[in-house]
Amino acid sequence: MARPHVTIAARAARSAGNVILRYMNRIDGLNIVEKQQLDFVSEVDKLAEAEIIKELRRAYPDHAILAEESGATGKGPLTWVIDPLDGTHNYLRGIPHFCVSIALLEKGVPIHAVVFDPLRDELYTASKGDGAYLNDRRMRVSKRENLGGAMIATGFPFRQREHLVPQLDMTRAILGQAEDIRRSGSAALDLAYVAAGRYDGYFEIGLKPWDMAAGVLLVHEAGGRYCDFAGRDGIPASGNIIAGNLNVAKAMVDAIGQQATPGLLKA
């Protein structure tokens, strides 16, 4: 049975998903702003975020919130971390791969998570110590023992183009051993797919907390591991993340560690 926090977060995610789907056929008329180079936000992101915050505030008025578009509000040990539309670039181009991501952190550690794919009606949920689920069905990471034959997901650092060369070097090192690499455009969904065993592993440079807070708990509760490029466990302050089952995550740390610059290996 889902914890009350997950039930509320799932309700909020579905409300946001309804907003996202409602505007899908009106993308050409949306108001779109470039927050910084190659980083876009639409009015749908803001409307979806408002729906989520409304639901969470109604149930938990004293909790702090860190949202991608509206920033941080409130203080305390419990913080909701929200990405109302992870995969905005996909959405604005009509590419059908994006999601809503909501996590509750206690003193910086994720304890509840919801990732919702409104197009496929797939709801990924997890609570610390309770396992991870896809539409109420228990998820487990893949059983692959190494990078041989592995399907790995990644993303390219559009916010940090200075890391493009090491990114390509890391990609080459992984692809030299793995079956293939996918780049789908939604970090939260990539992590959810790792938890579901669809991908064997995932790595990316420079993620923000709202990109990964929910997804990493899904991976952990599905029996996997997440760490930074140097193999330090936990949500990386650098945003440079590796996730996968225990064996694949270790193999990725080894492969990436040989290609990453010293700056990318810092905590």
Side-chain angles (χ1 to χ4, degrees):
M1 180 179 295
R3 300 287 188 96
H5 293 88
V6 170
T7 300
I8 297 297
R11 183 187 306 157
R14 288 190 180 279
S15 294
N18 289 337
V19 171
I20 291 166
L21 295 181
R22 190 182 312 139
Y23 281 86
M24 274 202 71
N25 295 324
R26 293 182 267 170
I27 291 174
D28 289 343
L30 292 178
N31 180 33
I32 301 168
V33 176
E34 189 172 12
K35 296 186 288 186
Q36 52 184 304
Q37 187 177 14
L38 301 178
D39 193 1
F40 299 96
V41 59
S42 74
E43 60 187 294
V44 175
D45 296 71
K46 295 179 180 180
L47 290 169
E49 185 171 287
E51 283 293 313
I52 295 168
I53 292 174
K54 181 178 69 175
E55 291 287 345
L56 297 180
R57 281 274 179 250
R58 181 182 299 149
Y60 304 107
D62 298 329
H63 288 186
I65 288 177
L66 173 62
E68 179 176 11
E69 308 308 336
S70 57
T73 56
K75 293 183 179 180
L78 295 172
T79 302
W80 290 99
V81 180
I82 302 165
D83 191 335
L85 177 51
D86 188 57
T88 298
H89 291 230
N90 284 348
Y91 181 78
L92 295 178
R93 292 176 176 270
I95 298 171
H97 194 79
F98 44 80
C99 69
V100 180
S101 177
I102 305 172
L104 181 62
L105 275 58
E106 183 174 25
K107 297 180 180 178
V109 177
I111 57 173
H112 300 292
V114 168
V115 171
F116 179 52
D117 179 345
L119 280 177
R120 298 172 183 84
D121 193 28
E122 291 188 334
L123 183 71
Y124 303 83
T125 60
S127 292
K128 188 177 180 181
D130 286 353
Y133 297 84
L134 168 54
N135 291 345
D136 299 321
R137 178 175 55 82
R138 184 72 180 261
M139 293 192 297
R140 299 294 297 178
V141 292
S142 74
K143 297 180 180 179
R144 194 162 301 281
E145 296 182 358
N146 51 51
L147 281 173
M151 181 70 75
I152 304 298
T154 192
F156 295 111
F158 68 87
R159 297 187 187 98
Q160 302 178 35
R161 289 298 196 205
E162 68 272 19
H163 297 310
L164 184 57
V165 171
Q167 167 80 35
L168 294 176
D169 290 341
M170 290 184 283
T171 301
R172 187 181 299 111
I174 294 292
L175 194 53
Q177 302 178 59
E179 175 186 334
D180 209 344
I181 288 181
R182 295 286 185 269
R183 193 270 187 261
S184 61
S186 172
L189 269 185
D190 285 344
L191 288 162
Y193 280 20
V194 171
R198 295 173 177 175
Y199 291 144
D200 299 297
Y202 167 74
F203 72 100
E204 188 160 353
I205 291 171
L207 292 184
K208 300 296 185 180
W210 46 79
D211 296 320
M212 55 185 167
V216 295
L217 183 61
L218 295 175
V219 170
H220 181 268
E221 290 299 319
R225 177 192 179 199
Y226 61 95
C227 60
D228 68 8
F229 286 0
R232 292 176 288 253
D233 290 319
I235 296 179
S238 64
N240 305 329
I241 190 167
I242 289 172
N245 72 37
L246 301 183
N247 294 322
V248 170
K250 181 182 183 303
M252 291 175 71
V253 168
D254 292 341
I256 285 172
Q258 297 176 29
Q259 305 297 329
T261 61
L264 290 174
L265 294 174
K266 289 182 179 179

